[in-house]
Amino acid sequence: MEQISCKPEDKRCGLIAFKVGMTFLWDKWGKRIAVTVLEVDRCQVVQVKTEEKDGYTAIQVGAGEKKLKELIKPEIGHYLKNNIPPKKVLREFRCSPECLLPVGYQLGARHFTPGQRVDILGTPKNKGFEGGIKRWGFSAQPNTHGNSLSHRAIGSTGGRQDPGRVFKGKKMPGQKGGRPIAKLNMEVYKVDAKRNLIYIRGGVLGNIGDPIFLRDSTKWIYKNHAYLNYPTFVPLPGVKYANEAIARAPE
């Protein structure tokens, strides 16, 4: 497989990584930068979907490892058909026909380049059922002046006869966390190809060990174009590459 030239509008395949934790690095000016470490663990192409067969083009990617006894029969057939070892997590990424990858191709941390922006989908920690103060940051009611048993109540939630109902989306007590949330335009600060680690600038939602889904930013397609390798990073024979790459510090 060889690298090709594509337009900025062309979409590449995404990546599945697992959250390791947070640490910090320093740039050449001595500025301390908080980063989240993500590990790319045996990320492979499991299935390729084409316009002729499925009606759209996409790549199904799997990462991690799963025991055979934890698989159901349809999953066993799916992996045997493509001769792929069982994966812990599966995820489908839409991509352009020019950026399709062969089944079994293994993606690494070099799929992303330091300095580019990515969109990250993660699931925050589940906090359970919470009140309006903790869930939305509401202020508490006065402790005195005749207030009894309503210090942490959210107060009125609707109007009178008109509209005569509570509007949809009203901030009220409910479940906090446990639902996937996307963070856009996160910067890839460092890539460690030897250990298959990706360092993301800032915090990433999720517990340690949770799967994190990354793909090229959808709002920085023209600025990202100079960083991207289409359809992925393909090393040239006889060329030695550095094990680590860091984004350039501002001048």
Side-chain angles (χ1 to χ4, degrees), residues 157-168:
T157 58
R160 295 161 63 177
Q161 184 174 356
D162 183 23
R165 62 187 177 89
V166 178
F167 290 113
K168 291 183 178 181

Side-chain angles (χ1 to χ4, degrees), residues 159-194:
R160 295 161 63 177
Q161 184 174 356
D162 183 23
R165 62 187 177 89
V166 178
F167 290 113
K168 291 183 178 181
K170 173 67 178 175
K171 294 180 180 179
M172 299 177 71
Q175 292 290 329
K176 178 179 173 64
R179 296 180 180 179
I181 295 178
K183 296 187 71 175
L184 308 181
N185 299 337
M186 302 287 288
E187 182 184 0
V188 178
Y189 185 73
K190 179 181 175 182
V191 170
D192 188 342
K194 186 175 182 180

Side-chain angles (χ1 to χ4, degrees), residues 112-124:
F112 296 114
T113 308
Q116 78 162 98
R117 301 300 179 97
V118 293
D119 296 340
I120 296 179
L121 182 66
T123 303

Side-chain angles (χ1 to χ4, degrees), residues 223-237:
K223 295 181 180 180
N224 262 353
H225 185 61
Y227 294 97
L228 304 184
N229 298 307
Y230 293 92
T232 185
F233 176 80
V234 181
L236 297 175

Side-chain angles (χ1 to χ4, degrees), residues 64-112:
E65 183 182 8
K66 199 172 185 180
K67 296 179 181 179
L68 290 174
K69 65 179 182 180
E70 298 175 353
L71 297 176
I72 58 177
K73 288 185 178 180
E75 290 179 333
I76 295 174
H78 183 62
Y79 291 119
L80 287 177
K81 178 182 177 182
N82 299 312
N83 196 21
I84 300 293
K87 298 296 180 180
K88 184 178 181 181
V89 184
L90 290 175
R91 180 80 178 184
E92 185 176 289
F93 296 95
R94 291 287 189 99
C95 60
S96 303
E98 298 82 4
C99 298
L100 292 176
L101 298 171
V103 174
Y105 189 85
Q106 190 153 347
L107 297 166
R110 281 201 179 109
H111 183 69
F112 296 114

